[in-house]
């Protein structure tokens, strides 16, 4: 437990992604099996204990600590595992720290009635950090700022592999992943996995820069619309059905309507959309269905899910990924024609003649549901990750607004001494007293380090009010912000929200009176 | 002669604790005619009093902070030495908080009240240890009066800092410390752990470090962190007030590891919210166990609780059969270190 507790403690305070990776990789290299495998499962969220719930932790603490003192402490600390870890009155014990594997295996083998005594024994043997790690581990949700993917990336880094390689074999593996570590350490062959309905890493596209467009040999490419939903993979194999996000998170729980429609034995790649009467609903509607563990009948009715298919990865047992795009596309069309799964359709191919007509098409694509164009090489196999060259995304030009800086907030990590997060607004005419600024969004990217330094200085010199890490500034600085789309939203006082806003240009020269008005935002909301 | 009730001769006024038969205040938060000061932290030692009584160390700290205040009468009183003010006999006893810190023992017609100011019980190489004084009423702080606050041994925390220095030799390590007390204690602890390289200090720390040296606390080689090349800080220790760390001042440091030495660092989410990468749980205040131990050591039948988490300490004291009440004094810093 000691190395694991030290790892969690270091992770929670490490601000940088690379630092977190370094900590995890070091842990995996220096910790033997099976402890490291259990740690990996804890980090990826694949460890569950049924018998150990927060209520049990409360009950154990209540047996030893005055309830009033515990209540005040919990109010102050705000986190049950941490409160219990700090407040636990140790009783002298000769026991050593348990190994992580010992904890996991004992809990899995224990009957419900045995769990409290097991836990209490460990809590006495551990120190405050050890207790915290143990309680985080068993009550689920480590919250140390590590995604499942980052943990897998750290494992892949041991052998210099790509995370996609680990993801590919992941769903065929079982705890405590000894064959995985043996493989990344070069001591064994790649685990041979019949992955079933496991996740296959997606093939991703690189953005096409405007200057590169002309040098592209367009005859080698196929074009499709880039739909404005979220990329998903639907895997139905051997009676098991799963829907994954692009990073491999299982989102099946939120989409029973899609699961029901997956009457096939295949793995397909597509765009998840909300579709009403054949028309794609705004992204906002799709958002109502995302990040949910369960879904109500009303939501299923109001926001019907649909997948617009791009690709066919597996048809029954056949792995189609080595085939060319053209070959896969043909197979996709034949398969879809034959099986005709409900709640799906095919993303149509767009005839390509030359780059100019594509450019024209892309510029004209003002439909809310289209983000731009995808260009895919006709001869490209389906490769995991983001290989350079075979696939391009060619987004339509962003929308822009001239807005006024209203509040600036301190950044994090390297930026903690800079006011780097900016809330900005547009003018709204009031019945009395002339126009006022109403916030429409927040941006923290799109400027250079030199520009940041200059904005930071400006913010400090024009502060009118402070609220903790936030400074209110006098209206005086205009940003041109770029964003993908505008939506009605109750979250901002203006009644609108922008999607992916970033600073496009800093208009030191522009008088604030000439910044945009609320009507301009309303005009950009697509119907 | 009847022994007077404690609350009949020491009372809470808006400006602080007032000792009626001596006509003086203890740690008043506003200027008063006569003040007895427990220690030099700004929320206890304010400027502008007509007359001040304190230990020589505390008077030196106040002079360093406020200059020599014109027209102010200053009386130095060493630990243990008695002085009579009106009918009150007053003595100062070590509180173990910072250099010069004292508990104020007040005896009036057979009734004794000890005002402890801020205190801790563990060893501090920069000041003499807390002395329990038997009394009828013990007036105590409650900064860390929750059983979640158990400060680990200092050596462990200093060890964490030195380990990080070895692990990231390319990065500066900046430690947020309160300028009075914490800074000098951390430096002394580092020296005791064998760290003898020069330590860079922020300008706000210089005067007080020099004062400690003059009072006989050797701090080893210190260098001002002013006007230096970034490269000079790689692998070095830099001490600064916490407020400087998150601000522009810290930009002179190469990829700094941000540490803060404070009792609040015990709570991870608090440390994280402050952007701390290396929390060091080093406090000049008593933790929960020390507070409870002190109530037992002093053996007073009654306690008054000044500032902090009063309700928890009052609750604990009552459970031990000690009369207890919260004084609701105003003006002490919640985050006081």
């Amino acid at each position: 437990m000691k190395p694991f507790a030290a790892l969690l403690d270091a992770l929670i305070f490490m601000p940088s992604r690379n630092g977190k990776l370094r900590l995890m990789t070091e842990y995996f290299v220096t910790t033997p099996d099976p402890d490291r495998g259990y740690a990996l499962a804890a980090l990826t969220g694949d460890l569950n204990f049924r018998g150990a719930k927060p209520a049990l932790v409360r009950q154990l603490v209540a047996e030893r600590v005055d309830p009033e003192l515990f209540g005040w402490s919990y109010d102050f600390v705000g986190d049950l595992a941490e409160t219990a870890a700090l407040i636990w009155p140790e009783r002298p014990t000769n026991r050593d720290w348990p190994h992580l594997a010992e904890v996991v295996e004992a809990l899995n083998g224990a009957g419900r009635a045995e769990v409290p005594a097991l836990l209490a024994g460990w809590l006495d043997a551990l120190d405050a950090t050890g207790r915290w790690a143990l309680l985080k581990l068993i009550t689920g949700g480590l919250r140390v700022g590590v995604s499942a993917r980052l943990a897998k990336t750290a494992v892949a880094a041991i052998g210099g592999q790509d995370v996609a390689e680990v993801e590919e074999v992941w769903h065929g593996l079982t705890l405590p992943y000894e064959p995985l570590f043996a493989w990344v350490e070069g001591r064994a062959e790649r685990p041979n996995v019949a992955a079933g309905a496991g996740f296959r890493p997606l093939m991703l596209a690189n953005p096409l820069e405007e200057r590169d467009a002309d040098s592209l040999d367009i005859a080698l490419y196929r074009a499709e619309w880039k739909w404005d939903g979220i990329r998903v993979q639907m895997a139905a194999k051997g009676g098991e059905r799963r829907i994954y996000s692009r990073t491999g998170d299982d989102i099946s729980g939120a989409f029973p309507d899609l699961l029901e429609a997956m009457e096939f034995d295949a793995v397909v790649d597509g765009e998840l959309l909300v579709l009403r009467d054949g028309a794609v609903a705004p992204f906002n509607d799709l958002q109502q269905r995302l990040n949910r563990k369960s879904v109500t009948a009303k939501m299923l009715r109001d926001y019907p899910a649909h997948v617009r298919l791009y690709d066919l990865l597996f048809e029954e047992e056949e792995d189609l990924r080595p085939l060319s795009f053209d070959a896969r596309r043909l197979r996709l069309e034949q398969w879809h024609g034959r099986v005709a799964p409900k709640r799906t359709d095919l993303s149509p191919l767009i005839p390509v003649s030359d780059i100019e007509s594509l450019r024209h098409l892309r510029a004209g694509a003002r439909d809310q549901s289209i983000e731009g164009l995808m260009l895919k090489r006709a001869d490209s196999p389906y490769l995991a990750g983001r290989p350079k060259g075979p696939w391009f995304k060619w987004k339509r030009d962003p929308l822009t607004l001239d807005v006024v800086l209203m509040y600036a907030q301190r950044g994090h990590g390297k930026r903690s001494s800079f006011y780097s997060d900016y809330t900005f607004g547009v003018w709204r005419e009031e019945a009395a007293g002339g126009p006022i600024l109403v916030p429409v969004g927040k941006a923290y990217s799109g400027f250079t380090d030199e520009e940041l330094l200059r904005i930071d200085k400006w913010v400090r010199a024009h502060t009118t009010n402070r609220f903790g890490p936030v400074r209110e500034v006098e209206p005086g600085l205009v940003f041109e912000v770029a964003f993908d789309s505008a939506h009605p939203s109750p979250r901002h006082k203006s009644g609108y929200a922008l999607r992916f806003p970033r600073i496009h240009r800093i208009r030191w020269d522009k008088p604030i009176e000439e910044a945009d008005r609320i009507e301009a935002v309303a005009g950009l909301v697509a119907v | 002669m009847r022994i007077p009730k404690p609350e009949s001769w020491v009372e809470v006024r808006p400006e602080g604790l007032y000792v009626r038969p001596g006509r003086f205040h203890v740690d008043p938060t506003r200027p008063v005619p006569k003040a007895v000061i427990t220690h030099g932290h700004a929320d206890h030692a304010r400027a502008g009093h007509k007359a001040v009584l304190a230990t020589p160390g505390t008077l030196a700290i106040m002079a360093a902070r406020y200059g020599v205040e014109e027209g102010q009468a200053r009386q130095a009183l060493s630990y243990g030495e008695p002085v009579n003010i009106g009918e009150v006999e007053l003595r100062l006893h070590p509180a173990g908080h910072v250099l010069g810190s004292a508990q104020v023992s007040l005896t009036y017609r057979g009734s004794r009240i000890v005002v402890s100011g801020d205190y801790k019980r563990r060893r501090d190489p920069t000041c003499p240890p807390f002395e329990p004084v038997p009394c009828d009423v013990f007036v105590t702080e409650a900064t860390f009066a929750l059983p979640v606050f158990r400060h680990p041994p200092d050596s462990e925390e200093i060890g964490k800092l030195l380990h990080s220095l070895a692990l990231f030799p390319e990065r500066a390590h900046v430690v947020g410390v309160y300028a009075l007390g914490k800074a000098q204690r951390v430096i002394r602890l580092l020296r005791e752990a064998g760290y003898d390289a020069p330590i860079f200090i922020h300008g706000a720390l210089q005067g007080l470090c020099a004062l400690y040296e003059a009072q006989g606390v050797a701090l080893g080689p210190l260098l001002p962190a002013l006007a230096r090349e970034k490269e000079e800080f790689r692998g070095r220790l830099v001490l600064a007030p916490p407020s400087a760390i998150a601000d522009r001042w810290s930009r002179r440091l190469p990829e700094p590891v941000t540490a803060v030495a404070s009792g609040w660092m015990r709570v991870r989410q608090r440390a994280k919210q402050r952007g701390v990468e290396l929390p060091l749980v080093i406090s000049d205040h008593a933790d929960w166990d020390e507070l409870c131990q002190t109530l037992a050591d002093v053996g007073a039948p009654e306690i008054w609780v000044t500032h902090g988490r009063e309700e928890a300490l009052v609750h604990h004291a009552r459970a031990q059969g000690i009369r207890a009440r919260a004084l609701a004094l105003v003006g002490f810093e919640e985050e006081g270190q």
Side-chain angles (χ1 to χ4, degrees):
Chain A
M1 267 309 280
K2 204 159 223 162
F4 178 68
L7 172 68
L8 292 193
D9 198 33
L11 283 174
I12 199 169
F13 291 115
M14 172 57 75
S16 89
R17 179 182 178 276
N18 284 340
K20 284 180 199 279
L21 275 176
R22 207 157 97 184
L23 289 169
M24 284 189 287
T25 303
E26 189 193 72
Y27 172 84
F28 291 133
V29 168
T30 54
T31 309
D33 292 315
D35 274 15
R36 58 178 172 177
Y38 289 119
L40 175 59
L43 290 164
T44 56
D46 287 296
L47 215 48
N48 286 300
F49 303 104
R50 268 154 298 130
K53 290 272 173 285
L56 173 63
V57 177
R58 280 169 181 275
Q59 178 203 322
L60 278 177
V61 173
E63 284 169 15
R64 293 204 190 180
V65 179
D66 179 308
E68 297 267 19
L69 292 177
F70 176 73
W72 285 318
S73 297
Y74 187 21
D75 281 350
F76 184 87
V77 175
D79 177 280
L80 178 65
E82 177 141 34
T83 311
L86 292 173
I87 210 169
W88 185 257
E90 288 165 28
R91 283 181 191 158
T93 170
N94 307 325
R95 294 181 53 167
D96 285 334
W97 283 49
H99 281 276
L100 179 56
E102 191 184 327
V103 170
V104 173
E105 285 158 15
L107 279 177
N108 280 334
R112 191 169 285 266
E114 299 167 279
V115 173
L118 265 178
L119 264 184
W122 290 325
L123 291 172
D124 280 334
L126 297 166
D127 69 7
T129 302
R131 286 192 289 267
W132 169 74
L134 174 70
L135 295 173
K136 281 282 170 197
L137 176 78
I138 62 166
T139 55
L142 297 178
R143 294 205 301 160
V144 291
V146 170
S147 66
R149 188 154 217 255
L150 198 66
K152 291 172 194 169
T153 308
V155 174
I158 297 173
Q161 269 108 330
D162 192 88
V163 61
E165 300 256 351
V166 172
E167 285 180 326
E168 176 82 30
V169 298
W170 182 257
H171 288 268
L173 297 171
T174 52
L175 272 168
Y177 312 120
E178 282 166 16
L180 172 69
F181 287 106
W183 167 53
V184 293
E185 287 176 346
R187 293 183 285 112
E189 291 294 300
R190 182 171 189 264
N192 192 9
V193 286
F199 175 67
R200 276 82 176 174
L202 295 184
M203 180 163 177
L204 303 171
N206 288 293
L208 182 66
E209 302 298 334
E210 198 53 43
R211 60 179 181 280
D212 297 334
D214 289 319
S215 56
L216 214 60
D217 186 355
I218 201 68
L220 301 177
Y221 286 82
R222 304 286 177 258
E224 296 172 35
W225 296 117
K226 181 169 172 22
W227 299 99
D228 187 16
I230 67 161
R231 261 302 267 300
V232 290
Q233 180 174 99
M234 295 162 94
K237 300 212 90 7
E240 202 186 340
R241 298 175 185 184
R242 301 257 180 240
I243 304 164
Y244 300 103
S245 73
R246 57 188 278 166
T247 50
D249 294 327
D250 188 339
I251 55 168
S252 312
F255 296 97
D257 43 354
L258 287 179
L259 284 181
E260 194 188 313
M262 288 165 66
E263 298 271 346
F264 51 76
D265 185 340
V267 179
V268 292
D269 177 343
E271 195 84 12
L272 175 59
L273 305 163
V274 165
L275 202 71
R276 277 194 215 95
D277 305 324
V280 177
F283 188 81
N284 244 19
D285 286 22
L286 177 58
Q287 257 172 339
Q288 309 303 316
R289 292 284 308 264
L290 299 176
N291 302 321
R292 284 176 191 278
K293 285 230 165 65
S294 63
V295 60
T296 63
K298 181 169 167 20
M299 306 214 63
L300 290 172
R301 204 168 53 240
D302 292 352
Y303 305 104
H306 181 92
V307 175
R308 190 150 279 173
L309 300 174
Y310 294 132
D311 222 316
L312 180 63
L313 278 53
F314 274 81
E315 184 176 355
E316 294 172 359
E317 291 318 303
E318 189 185 354
D319 187 352
L320 304 184
R321 290 175 296 175
L323 303 184
S324 69
F325 176 81
D326 276 355
R328 293 199 312 278
R329 175 75 197 187
L330 186 64
R331 293 283 297 269
L332 174 68
E333 288 171 6
Q334 290 168 344
W335 173 84
H336 195 263
R338 198 170 60 247
V339 179
K342 290 195 190 85
R343 294 186 179 277
T344 66
D345 61 2
L346 297 184
S347 180
L349 285 183
I350 303 163
V352 178
S353 50
D354 57 84
I355 196 78
E356 258 336 291
S357 58
L358 275 182
R359 188 172 273 142
H360 190 72
L361 212 55
R362 165 177 160 270
R366 287 274 73 142
D367 184 330
Q368 188 66 26
S369 61
I370 291 172
E371 276 191 289
L373 289 172
M374 293 293 302
L375 298 176
K376 299 177 177 177
R377 262 186 86 112
D379 60 0
S380 60
Y382 192 96
L383 301 170
R386 203 186 294 274
K388 218 133 188 97
W391 284 15
F392 289 104
K393 52 183 173 192
W394 200 16
K395 285 200 181 184
R396 65 183 186 196
D397 291 334
L399 305 167
T400 62
L401 281 171
D402 286 337
V403 297
V404 182
L405 176 62
M406 297 176 70
Y407 304 93
Q409 185 173 352
R410 274 181 195 279
H412 294 280
K414 266 190 181 164
R415 283 182 172 181
S416 59
S417 76
F418 292 96
Y419 287 90
S420 61
D421 297 10
Y422 308 116
T423 300
F424 46 79
V426 293
W427 295 109
R428 185 171 71 191
E429 210 64 48
E430 295 294 288
I436 60 160
L437 283 170
V438 285
V440 284
K442 198 170 169 181
Y444 41 84
S445 65
F447 38 80
T448 64
D449 286 352
E450 289 76 51
E451 284 171 330
L452 173 58
L453 205 64
R454 202 170 153 201
I455 304 173
D456 178 76
K457 213 171 153 190
W458 190 92
V459 167
R460 289 168 193 274
H462 295 83
T463 299
T464 55
N465 222 335
R466 294 174 184 222
F467 315 92
V470 178
R471 284 181 183 222
E472 183 176 1
V473 296
E474 68 182 69
L477 183 54
V478 176
F479 292 144
E480 183 181 331
V481 291
F483 52 97
D484 288 5
S485 53
H487 306 275
S489 161
R491 206 181 287 173
H492 291 288
K493 198 175 164 191
S494 62
Y496 296 100
L498 310 179
R499 191 149 172 243
F500 299 140
R502 57 265 181 196
I503 309 291
H504 193 52
R505 249 186 301 180
I506 303 159
R507 299 297 304 268
W508 298 105
D509 57 310
K510 192 158 189 156
I512 53 164
E513 296 75 25
E514 291 175 24
D516 277 306
R517 280 156 205 284
I518 193 80
E519 293 76 18
V521 186
L524 293 172
V525 175
V527 277
Chain B
M1 192 166 69
R2 268 186 50 222
I3 295 173
K5 282 187 184 324
E7 58 274 18
S8 73
W9 62 281
V10 173
E11 58 196 43
V12 176
R13 293 193 170 180
E15 63 276 9
L17 270 188
Y18 181 65
V19 183
R20 224 153 31 85
R23 294 186 181 178
F24 63 87
H25 290 77
V26 180
D27 290 352
T29 54
R30 294 180 208 163
V32 297
K34 187 169 178 65
V36 175
I37 305 295
T38 60
H39 67 282
H41 279 147
D43 48 339
H44 293 258
R46 311 230 170 200
H49 306 309
K50 279 271 183 300
V52 171
L53 184 151
T55 61
T58 298
L59 287 179
I61 290 164
M62 290 178 76
R65 291 203 143 167
Y66 305 124
V68 176
E69 295 184 57
E70 210 158 306
Q72 186 182 64
R74 279 175 297 277
Q75 183 179 359
L77 188 66
S78 298
Y79 293 128
E81 209 179 294
V83 64
N84 288 304
I85 306 175
E87 262 190 84
V88 179
E89 187 201 79
L90 181 152
R91 286 174 203 252
L92 300 177
H93 300 275
H97 179 56
V98 297
L99 189 146
S101 64
Q103 312 172 65
V104 183
S105 164
L106 305 160
T107 312
Y108 171 63
R109 295 185 183 174
S111 165
R112 180 181 292 160
I113 297 179
V114 171
V115 183
S116 61
D118 291 335
Y119 66 95
K120 68 175 174 292
R121 301 300 302 275
R122 63 192 65 206
R123 180 184 163 272
D124 181 338
T126 68
C127 61
F130 179 96
E131 276 174 19
V133 179
C135 54
D136 299 300
V137 174
F138 181 65
V139 183
T140 178
E141 60 142 321
T143 307
F144 289 114
L146 282 176
V148 286
F149 290 111
R150 293 197 161 89
H151 308 325
D154 300 337
S155 56
E156 265 179 34
E157 302 302 292
I158 293 294
K160 273 187 355 195
L161 178 58
L162 294 176
H163 177 69
S164 178
L165 263 174
L167 212 60
F168 300 103
E170 76 285 6
R171 302 175 69 184
H173 282 62
V174 57
V175 186
V177 287
Y178 200 84
L180 168 59
K182 189 70 63 63
Q184 297 78 21
R185 178 167 163 225
V186 166
I187 293 170
R188 277 293 303 169
L189 290 170
L190 281 162
R191 299 308 186 200
E192 288 182 0
Y195 186 82
D196 49 17
I199 295 172
F200 290 99
I201 54 173
H202 183 278
L205 272 47
Q206 279 175 26
L208 286 163
C209 284
L211 188 149
Y212 265 62
E213 290 259 7
Q215 298 272 331
V217 181
L219 299 176
L222 305 177
L223 296 173
L226 201 68
R228 287 179 189 274
E229 292 298 315
K230 227 176 191 178
E231 293 306 310
E232 288 185 67
F233 294 111
R234 288 198 190 276
R236 297 308 189 109
L237 271 176
V238 188
L239 266 58
S243 57
I245 289 182
D247 211 345
R248 281 174 289 183
W249 182 85
S250 66
R251 286 183 205 162
R252 70 191 65 200
L253 305 174
E255 312 162 60
V257 172
T258 305
V260 168
S262 155
W264 302 109
M265 293 295 108
R266 181 88 277 196
V267 179
R268 282 184 181 77
Q269 289 306 334
R270 283 219 158 187
K272 220 175 129 53
Q273 275 160 14
R274 289 175 61 178
V276 176
E277 222 176 302
L278 184 64
L280 303 173
V281 188
I282 300 179
S283 176
D284 285 327
H285 293 273
D287 69 5
W288 175 254
D289 292 335
E290 292 171 50
L291 289 168
C292 297
Q293 185 61 46
T294 303
L295 299 196
D297 290 349
V298 170
E302 178 167 354
I303 65 162
W304 296 349
V305 184
T306 54
H307 56 289
R309 263 122 291 275
E310 301 95 314
E311 71 278 13
L313 195 58
V314 165
H315 176 84
H316 167 82
R318 286 179 182 161
Q320 310 297 312
I322 300 171
R323 283 194 305 279
R325 67 180 176 109
L327 286 188
L329 287 179
V330 292
F332 290 105
E333 283 169 25
E334 148 77 4
E335 299 283 300
Q337 293 295 297

